[in-house]
Amino acid sequence: MQALVESINKLKKEKKAVILAHCYQPVEIDLVADYVGDSLYLSQVAAKTDAEIIIFAGVYFMAQTAKILSPDKKVILPQIDAGCRMADMIDYNQLLEFKAKNPGIPTVCYVNSTAEVKSECDLCCTSSNAVKVVASLNTDKILFLPDTYLGKWVEKQLGNVEVITYPGFCPTHLQIRPDDIEAARNTYPEALVLAHPECHMSVSEMADYVGSTTGIMNFAKNSDNKSFIIATEQGVVDRLKRDYPDKEFIPVKNNIVCPNMKMTSLEDILKVLEDESNEIFVDENIVQKAVKCIDRMLEVSK
Ligand code: 13P
Ligand code: SF4
């Protein structure tokens, strides 16, 4: 593995490439990553980087968002089939139908959506800034897609905005059920439960803290508590264990894994660095429309 890491790091420098990795990636990807974080952080990095090539160790919509934000850069996804099962739940026509059924209401899309879908929405958000983004609209009603659970969680946090949600969801987070939280709490009564807002409402309601990947990691870092039950993807558990060895991190149940996030390997990264394959392209008309809703999000998140 050391030789592989060295080859990647050497080539990365020669080609002025930068490697961005989402926290759900296999943990060894961090050995070559320049930036590791959640969706918001990585899109902020993608918008600002002066690298010539962006290798996005993540899923398709993330690389597509990076391309929209940095259209002059070469953006590469190491595994071209790594999609997001939630993003795939709504396409352009389904969005138009959803909007037609609920006319005249501002539309907010989760960043986990396609470029075409973003191009027809008013504002984009990630799980770290969803509440702030929706509040920034100063309205009493919004349409939210694709994630119904993130949308409903935002509605609950704000209390004064009706959030009409599209019935999309994350199959990975929905595997976590209230019984799992109860069982983990019975075994580890001292542990705090930290959950991602993509979880079912019945799970989020039981948690001590609900937040994005970075939110969960920061909470665990800053808390005086010593043990935590983690109700999100395994990659977060792996990084917390590595970064805070004095604390205890318990996955809420086994195998809470996003299969697409786990497709990337160090070998794939070396290959795409060598042959520059798997480049992401987005239609120019779509870029021009989609960038507005992403830029507005980045502005609100400052
Ligand atoms: P965040 O990176 O915003 O926590 O989102 C999690 C996720 O599911 C990414 O696809
Ligand atoms: Fe999509 Fe869920 Fe995987 Fe995130 S964890 S990339 S929302 S399928």
Side-chain angles (χ1 to χ4, degrees):
M1 176 136 75
Q2 191 53 32
L4 197 52
V5 169
E6 278 168 22
S7 305
I8 293 171
N9 286 336
K10 184 165 170 276
L11 205 51
K12 187 171 77 171
K13 245 190 213 151
E14 278 168 28
K15 296 207 168 182
K16 293 196 173 61
V18 69
I19 301 179
L20 276 47
H22 191 272
C23 288
Y24 295 176
Q25 288 285 291
V27 73
E28 67 274 14
I29 301 297
D30 293 9
L31 296 171
V32 298
D34 300 284
Y35 302 92
V36 181
D38 68 359
S39 306
L40 176 63
Y41 173 66
L42 297 177
S43 56
Q44 287 165 331
V45 172
K48 291 198 299 246
T49 181
D50 52 13
E52 287 170 15
I53 301 177
I54 300 173
I55 309 275
F56 211 123
V59 291
Y60 199 91
F61 77 81
M62 295 181 174
Q64 209 181 34
T65 305
K67 181 68 184 174
I68 294 167
L69 289 167
S70 284
D72 301 332
K73 310 253 143 94
K74 185 174 261 194
V75 178
I76 288 175
L77 183 65
Q79 271 283 352
I80 205 69
D81 295 329
C84 164
R85 291 175 295 169
M86 179 200 286
D88 292 343
M89 288 179 189
I90 184 164
D91 65 18
Y92 186 78
N93 289 330
Q94 288 167 313
L95 169 66
L96 295 188
E97 265 174 48
F98 183 49
K99 285 175 60 153
K101 266 192 213 147
N102 303 281
I105 305 173
T107 309
V108 178
C109 61
Y110 193 18
V111 71
N112 299 34
S113 53
T114 65
E116 289 76 13
V117 163
K118 287 186 179 81
S119 74
E120 282 298 325
C121 290
D122 297 297
L123 199 43
C124 182
C125 72
T126 73
S127 56
S128 356
N129 60 19
V131 172
K132 209 168 161 184
V133 161
V134 173
S136 78
L137 282 165
N138 279 322
T139 181
D140 58 3
K141 207 186 263 190
I142 62 149
L143 300 185
F144 190 92
L145 58 109
D147 189 5
T148 197
Y149 298 105
L150 178 61
K152 286 294 162 196
W153 180 75
V154 169
E155 181 178 70
K156 200 168 167 214
Q157 302 312 299
L158 288 171
N160 59 356
V161 181
E162 184 188 348
V163 179
I164 302 170
T165 59
Y166 187 82
F169 59 91
C170 167
T172 298
H173 285 90
L174 270 220
Q175 289 173 58
I176 306 169
R177 311 305 302 179
D179 284 357
D180 301 315
I181 305 281
E182 214 173 285
R185 267 214 174 110
N186 286 339
T187 316
Y188 303 94
E190 305 296 322
L192 294 177
V193 175
L194 315 185
H196 195 281
E198 285 176 15
C199 290
H200 193 278
M201 282 302 278
S202 57
V203 167
S204 300
E205 277 162 9
M206 292 171 80
D208 296 295
Y209 171 80
V210 180
S212 70
T213 302
T214 300
I216 289 175
M217 294 184 81
N218 285 339
F219 186 97
K221 175 183 165 188
N222 297 325
S223 166
D224 292 334
N225 217 67
K226 288 283 174 229
S227 56
F228 305 88
I229 294 161
I230 306 298
T232 188
E233 215 270 349
Q234 181 64 36
V236 175
V237 182
D238 296 340
R239 284 166 177 82
L240 284 168
K241 283 186 175 172
R242 178 197 64 195
D243 295 345
Y244 309 108
D246 296 342
K247 296 187 176 184
E248 186 185 20
F249 299 100
I250 305 123
V252 65
K253 74 195 275 191
N254 285 335
N255 216 25
I256 299 302
V257 163
C258 173
N260 289 335
M261 281 283 188
K262 296 295 191 256
M263 284 168 82
T264 323
S265 67
L266 288 169
E267 284 82 359
D268 295 331
I269 294 185
L270 181 59
K271 179 178 181 298
V272 294
L273 262 173
E274 280 168 350
D275 66 11
E276 298 183 23
S277 58
N278 294 358
E279 186 176 352
I280 303 296
F281 296 99
V282 186
D283 180 277
E284 183 53 32
N285 293 325
I286 302 284
V287 170
Q288 280 184 16
K289 289 170 85 184
V291 75
K292 288 186 197 149
C293 90
I294 306 171
D295 275 347
R296 266 183 90 186
M297 166 187 86
L298 294 177
E299 198 51 43
V300 172
S301 308
K302 270 184 186 160

